[in-house]
Amino acid sequence: MASTVKFRIWRGDAIAGEFREYDTPAEEGEVVLDVVHRIQADQANDLAVRWNCKAGKCGSCSAEVNGKPRLMCMTRMDLFDPQEPITLSPMRTFPIIRDLVTDVSSNFEMAKRVPQFKPRPRDADGTYRMKQADIDRVQEFHKCIECFLCQDVCHVTRDHDENIPHFAGPRMFVRYAELEMHPLDTNNRLDLLQDQMGLGMCNITKCCSDVCPEGIQITHNAIIPLKERVVSQRYDPIVRIKRKIRARRPHSP
């Protein structure tokens, strides 16, 4: 049975905007995106909203629902009190294009700066051998759908937009961890992470892990291990001695 709900949706662009209220029916079992589509069809044909799969796998419909970064297609209406208005706003960390659509291109620019996967040579018989435990460790990171909710909620950029060009952010740290922990990769990105990607600016509040729709433990399994590797490489005396010895060895012709 349909019930009437009130939505407060931010309407506007980068110059100016305001919240507008819409009363609309909501059916049992619907998600927020269903209701937004009904408002778009019946009351606000010009409402800008980004979506694609409606199955929680494309990461397109990211927004802030009652102030919390969420995927609208995975946020069930029965989470909310039907007597209370539901407030929808664009992701606060990113520049607004129009209505609920934001410009997330800064993430793709940061992705271009990630050094590529560089595998070690194959074994003598032409194959690669890896331990299953090492493979399992990076599989979690492949679940990322690039919804950028973790980037949105991170206070390093959410409250300080001047940090955006200098802070890779949780999503990119997942990508770095995926490469750094890959059993075949030989690239070393640790100095880059510390000196240019802002890894040291993260104070591991876990807010990124809390909003991840895929349940990736960004803080514990990606960011903290990267921090540990940076500390080991830069400050562990044994590691530093080994690096100096390797640097002094003559190169093979």
Side-chain angles (χ1 to χ4, degrees):
M1 181 176 179
S3 60
T4 299
V5 296
K6 183 184 293 293
F7 268 59
R8 297 179 65 249
I9 302 178
W10 197 91
R11 303 295 309 275
D13 54 27
I15 299 175
E18 62 182 1
F19 283 98
R20 298 181 190 173
E21 294 188 353
Y22 302 91
D23 292 324
T24 187
E27 301 282 349
E28 183 178 357
E30 287 188 324
V31 295
V32 168
L33 187 60
D34 292 322
V35 181
V36 170
H37 283 164
R38 183 174 295 117
I39 293 171
Q40 189 182 49
D42 299 339
Q43 302 181 52
N45 300 147
D46 61 341
L47 173 62
V49 55
R50 185 182 281 138
W51 71 284
N52 188 16
C53 74
K54 202 187 171 190
K57 293 302 177 184
C58 74
S60 299
C61 64
S62 301
E64 299 196 4
V65 185
N66 288 349
K68 181 176 180 178
R70 292 177 177 270
L71 291 178
M72 290 186 287
C73 72
M74 299 301 288
T75 304
R76 298 181 61 86
M77 288 296 297
D78 58 15
L79 290 174
F80 308 103
D81 183 343
Q83 305 303 316
E84 297 291 331
I86 296 173
T87 300
L88 287 185
S89 54
M91 289 190 288
R92 197 178 89 182
T93 297
F94 305 110
I96 295 172
I97 296 176
R98 188 161 68 87
D99 300 341
L100 299 178
V101 178
T102 53
D103 181 1
V104 296
S105 60
S106 59
N107 297 292
F108 303 119
E109 291 303 314
M110 193 62 74
K112 294 177 183 178
R113 299 168 65 182
V114 180
Q116 65 183 354
F117 176 68
K118 184 180 179 182
R120 60 171 170 77
R122 294 179 182 272
D123 295 337
D125 59 1
T127 63
Y128 285 122
R129 288 177 173 80
M130 298 174 283
K131 294 180 179 179
Q132 188 62 46
D134 291 334
I135 297 173
D136 293 341
R137 188 179 191 188
V138 299
Q139 286 304 307
E140 175 188 16
F141 305 141
H142 295 168
K143 296 191 299 181
C144 176
I145 60 174
E146 295 203 318
C147 60
F148 303 125
L149 294 179
C150 61
Q151 302 284 82
D152 179 45
V153 78
C154 180
H155 64 90
V156 175
T157 48
R158 186 178 179 90
D159 300 325
H160 305 278
D161 56 9
E162 68 274 12
N163 289 334
I164 291 178
H166 315 291
F167 184 68
R171 190 282 169 267
M172 288 304 129
F173 293 147
V174 166
R175 175 60 176 154
Y176 278 97
E178 173 189 331
L179 293 168
E180 283 295 306
M181 299 177 192
H182 196 289
L184 298 182
D185 186 68
T186 60
N187 251 337
N188 187 320
R189 305 166 184 84
L190 300 179
D191 286 337
L192 176 67
L193 276 165
Q194 184 67 10
D195 297 337
Q196 299 181 40
M197 297 294 107
L199 180 64
M201 299 168 72
C202 171
N203 58 7
I204 56 175
T205 58
K206 285 187 60 181
C207 54
C208 51
S209 299
D210 291 341
V211 299
C212 179
E214 288 294 322
I216 301 172
Q217 295 301 306
I218 302 171
T219 305
H220 289 316
N221 294 346
I223 296 177
I224 291 177
L226 287 176
K227 284 176 173 283
E228 290 172 343
R229 290 179 179 221
V230 168
V231 170
S232 294
Q233 175 170 287
R234 290 202 166 188
Y235 306 109
D236 187 310
I238 296 177
V239 173
R240 293 175 68 181
I241 290 172
K242 287 182 178 179
R243 291 181 68 186
K244 289 181 179 180
I245 292 174
R246 292 194 192 102
R248 292 172 182 173
R249 287 176 180 170
H251 296 287
S252 300

